[in-house]
Amino acid sequence: MTSVISSISGWFWNEDLWLPPRVTWDSFKHPQTVNTTTLYPEQFAQFTDLWYPVPMAFIVIGLRWMVERWIFKPVGIRMGLKDHKRPFPVQNTILEKTFRRSKTLSLEDLKKISNDSGLSSLQVERWFRQRRQAELPTTLQKFCETGWRWMFYTSILVYGFICLWDKSWFWNIRHCWYHYPFHQVEQDVWWYYMLELSFYWSLSISQFFDVKRKDFWEMFIHHNATIALLMFSWTTHFTRMGTLILIVHDCADHLLELAKMFRYASFQKTCDAIFVVFSIVWVVTRCGVYPSWILYSTLVDAKRFIEFFNAYYILNGLLVSLQFLHIFWTYFLFKAIYKALAKGSVDDQRSDSEPSDDENENESKKDI
């Protein structure tokens, strides 16, 4: 069994896949001289460091709970959002057991449950509708969740600029390829990677307990693809390029979350104005800066400074795929803008799958 595991490990960590020609894993276990500067093993990206974001993710989840509870909940209440929980229907063992099995009823199930419980079909439907509504998050809860993401995206964007402002590759992207792969990972860059990874790990975990959205699985794949790309760039020592990709993608995210917060608080005009700014920043960064700066460098500049190897082709495949996703999401962005112009207000294409509070109030009136 040990020999099988060792064989699989040797195949997976094949140096011909992960590293440039004439570079081995042992190369990072010994000091390397770059431009008369000696770099020591602990100054390189270490694969074992990628374990840190996993426990850090639970710290992030705890921090999120405190921020939502002690910061954004009071803010939301002051902005007029109601702090109330929807009432549960009268306890009924038969209906509750059926509800836990399926939250929707077929006509056949409705008739059977009506006979078993002694209630009319209308009463059963009303019970199921009220039971579903009781589990839905309120607008205040959605406001708090969005507020947390806005705070993180804003904070990490500011930290990213502070971290990269004095880095040579931020001003001249070709420094991503000079002396590759022997690049020192400074302490602030280390934290930049670890914080981003821990946040996306926390999203992957907490997504199963958050407000359920129509694109649940799409976002789950997005979060885990982001984690995989960050881990891949760290392992293959493309950390400089990785930081640039992070900063480009962080530029627009906080604006979208801010627009949602104002939408939940019913400040529609402010939401629309921020959404316009978000749209501009999105198109400029994702469809302008990313392909002309990042992709151009990985596809054109790199060949002047490094020898191609398997991981390089994998990286480019991932980055090109990411650009296709940008184009796909930009299509939905323009679709949202078109709908906004048609009806006079912005509506998020990734809107919550549950009804709004107003819709719930209408349903309650129907029950009465």
Side-chain angles (χ1 to χ4, degrees):
M1 185 65 179
T2 304
S3 60
V4 173
I5 295 175
S6 177
S7 177
I8 294 174
S9 177
W11 169 81
F12 182 79
W13 292 111
N14 189 327
E15 293 162 344
D16 292 334
L17 169 65
W18 294 94
L19 299 174
R22 296 179 298 282
V23 178
T24 67
W25 295 118
D26 285 338
S27 301
F28 300 98
K29 296 179 181 179
H30 304 285
Q32 300 289 336
T33 301
V34 177
N35 272 354
T36 70
T37 301
T38 301
L39 299 179
Y40 296 93
E42 61 271 15
Q43 293 178 292
F44 299 121
Q46 302 291 332
F47 178 77
T48 52
D49 289 343
L50 296 177
W51 289 108
Y52 287 107
V54 178
M56 286 172 64
F58 291 95
I59 297 175
V60 170
I61 292 173
L63 178 62
R64 168 190 167 173
W65 181 84
M66 291 187 289
V67 167
E68 289 185 7
R69 182 178 179 85
W70 301 112
I71 297 178
F72 288 106
K73 186 175 181 179
V75 170
I77 292 173
R78 287 184 65 87
M79 295 180 77
L81 299 179
K82 298 175 183 178
D83 183 20
H84 65 81
K85 293 185 178 180
R86 301 181 180 93
F88 279 79
V90 177
Q91 182 63 35
N92 187 303
T93 306
I94 295 175
L95 298 183
E96 183 66 29
K97 183 178 179 180
T98 306
F99 179 83
R100 292 183 180 278
R101 189 168 62 248
S102 174
K103 296 183 180 181
T104 57
L105 291 174
S106 65
L107 185 60
E108 183 179 343
D109 290 335
L110 181 60
K111 290 179 180 179
K112 183 178 184 302
I113 295 171
S114 179
N115 291 330
D116 293 342
S117 63
L119 300 174
S120 67
S121 297
L122 181 61
Q123 287 175 316
V124 172
E125 287 179 325
R126 183 182 299 160
W127 190 96
F128 264 74
R129 183 164 54 243
Q130 191 174 357
R131 182 65 178 82
R132 285 194 299 268
Q133 292 173 4
E135 288 190 342
L136 298 178
T138 64
T139 302
L140 179 60
Q141 290 174 296
K142 292 185 284 184
F143 176 87
C144 294
E145 176 195 322
T146 304
W148 157 250
R149 290 199 301 269
W150 170 78
M151 176 175 281
F152 178 84
Y153 287 139
T154 303
S155 301
I156 202 67
L157 176 64
V158 172
Y159 179 78
F161 275 111
I162 293 173
C163 171
L164 297 178
W165 195 259
D166 62 347
K167 303 299 185 291
S168 58
W169 64 90
F170 184 68
W171 302 103
N172 183 354
I173 198 170
R174 290 183 178 180
H175 281 270
C176 290
W177 313 114
Y178 296 159
H179 311 297
Y180 174 83
F182 300 111
H183 291 162
Q184 177 185 358
V185 177
E186 292 87 345
Q187 194 69 16
D188 52 356
V189 172
W190 188 91
W191 277 106
Y192 192 25
Y193 253 85
M194 297 302 119
L195 289 172
E196 290 273 13
L197 275 168
S198 61
F199 177 72
Y200 282 103
W201 273 117
S202 74
L203 287 183
S204 295
I205 297 168
S206 64
Q207 189 179 11
F208 291 91
F209 312 101
D210 287 340
V211 177
K212 292 295 184 294
R213 299 185 183 278
K214 295 176 183 177
D215 62 347
F216 175 88
W217 289 110
E218 289 88 340
M219 292 310 298
F220 181 77
I221 293 171
H222 170 269
H223 298 331
N224 285 276
T226 302
I227 292 169
L229 184 57
L230 286 170
M231 293 177 67
F232 180 82
S233 65
W234 182 269
T235 304
T236 54
H237 299 272
F238 287 119
T239 50
R240 294 184 176 183
M241 185 57 67
T243 58
L244 298 182
I245 295 170
L246 285 173
I247 200 73
V248 168
H249 284 77
D250 286 340
C251 285
D253 290 339
H254 68 292
L255 292 169
L256 179 60
E257 302 301 335
L258 186 61
K260 288 181 182 179
M261 290 172 64
F262 280 106
R263 179 177 172 230
Y264 291 141
S266 299
F267 289 88
Q268 192 61 49
K269 289 185 178 179
T270 306
C271 167
D272 293 347
I274 296 173
F275 189 80
V276 169
V277 178
F278 159 76
S279 302
I280 296 171
V281 174
W282 171 280
V283 172
V284 170
T285 56
R286 306 288 178 103
C287 299
V289 175
Y290 178 82
S292 65
W293 191 41
I294 302 292
L295 277 185
Y296 180 84
S297 184
T298 60
L299 295 173
V300 178
D301 280 342
K303 64 184 180 182
R304 304 175 186 174
F305 305 102
I306 68 172
E307 294 184 68
F308 292 164
F309 58 107
N310 291 323
Y312 167 80
Y313 293 114
I314 295 173
L315 176 71
N316 275 296
L318 293 171
L319 297 184
V320 171
S321 300
L322 188 57
Q323 181 57 32
F324 281 115
L325 285 175
H326 291 164
I327 296 171
F328 176 73
W329 287 326
T330 302
Y331 162 75
F332 282 104
L333 174 63
F334 285 129
K335 188 176 178 181
I337 294 172
Y338 175 79
K339 288 178 65 176
L341 294 174
K343 77 174 189 176
S345 63
V346 172
D347 192 14
D348 182 15
Q349 290 295 312
R350 299 195 308 107
S351 59
D352 307 327
S353 58
E354 71 280 351
S356 65
D357 283 349
D358 291 339
E359 291 170 324
N360 287 321
E361 289 176 7
N362 292 335
E363 292 290 349
S364 298
K365 290 176 182 177
K366 291 178 183 178
D367 293 341
I368 295 172

